[in-house]
Amino acid sequence: MGTPHDRYPGGTAQDAPAVRLTVRTAAHMHELGRRLATLLTPGDLVLLSGELGAGKTTLTRGLGEGLQVRGAVTSPTFVIARVHPSLVGGPALVHVDAYRLGGGLDEMEDLDLDVSLPESVVVVEWGDGKVEDLSEARLHVVIGRDAVAPGGVEDVREVTVTGVGPRWATEDLTPLAAPPR
């Protein structure tokens, strides 16, 4: 499982220490998204990784609620990207599903994410190897599924959150590991 000071592979001294936590229910994944939203500002790029059904969209729903954006946050698999404007004058949430996109940033250019990024929070599911060049700083969230956790709880998630780059070098990610409410 590692320690909280492990780095995302390829990390640098500018990266924040990784935070690892166990998420036992979908409601707790949603709450993690709400807590994560409190750390995000316009221009932030969030990459979500994990197998199908791991909880990426559930986490993004929590982000949307925390950011107070308009519209139901659902998987954008078939439309590729959805924009959820803020209801309170904060940043919009741009939710992208890159699962069906095979290429790198070149294929993503049609989405104009580089235009949206400065004033929005951009969340990309399945973005590994495709959108890292959009920003020198990003938050990488990896969601892994465990069949059975200690204590017999089934289908829990192990989540690792790593800040990459100068934006996250001094950001304290440890509040994300607080027990769910």
Side-chain angles (χ1 to χ4, degrees):
M1 175 97 170
T3 67
H5 299 288
D6 290 344
R7 304 261 186 234
Y8 177 70
T12 70
Q14 294 180 340
D15 300 346
V19 172
R20 292 190 170 155
L21 55 147
T22 300
V23 178
R24 298 185 182 279
T25 68
H28 292 164
M29 185 67 76
H30 183 91
E31 177 59 28
L32 175 59
R34 287 181 49 83
R35 287 195 315 259
L36 183 58
T38 66
L39 300 176
L40 299 175
T41 61
D44 282 341
L45 174 64
V46 180
L47 274 67
L48 301 180
S49 302
E51 63 186 78
L52 286 170
K56 296 178 296 294
T57 300
T58 300
L59 179 84
T60 306
R61 274 190 203 105
L63 279 171
E65 189 176 306
L67 292 171
Q68 299 182 51
V69 298
R70 186 179 72 210
V73 175
T74 59
S75 178
T77 299
F78 297 104
V79 295
I80 310 298
R82 295 184 199 275
V83 177
H84 299 275
S86 175
L87 295 170
V88 295
L93 172 65
V94 179
H95 184 197
V96 180
D97 187 326
Y99 182 74
R100 295 185 305 130
L101 302 177
L105 191 58
D106 292 340
E107 190 172 359
M108 300 292 285
E109 281 185 2
D110 290 341
L111 300 176
D112 287 331
L113 294 179
D114 55 335
V115 173
S116 301
L117 187 58
E119 69 273 353
S120 304
V121 169
V122 176
V123 176
V124 183
E125 297 184 26
W126 305 98
D128 291 350
K130 298 175 183 172
V131 297
E132 288 89 343
D133 289 339
L134 280 175
S135 175
E136 65 180 19
R138 62 194 173 277
L139 200 61
H140 195 96
V141 180
V142 179
I143 306 170
R145 293 174 84 168
D146 283 345
V148 179
V153 178
E154 294 186 23
D155 208 24
V156 300
R157 309 303 195 253
E158 294 297 328
V159 180
T160 304
V161 182
T162 307
V164 177
R167 154 73 172 95
W168 297 101
T170 59
E171 189 73 48
D172 181 13
L173 300 177
T174 57
L176 297 175
R181 294 183 241 162

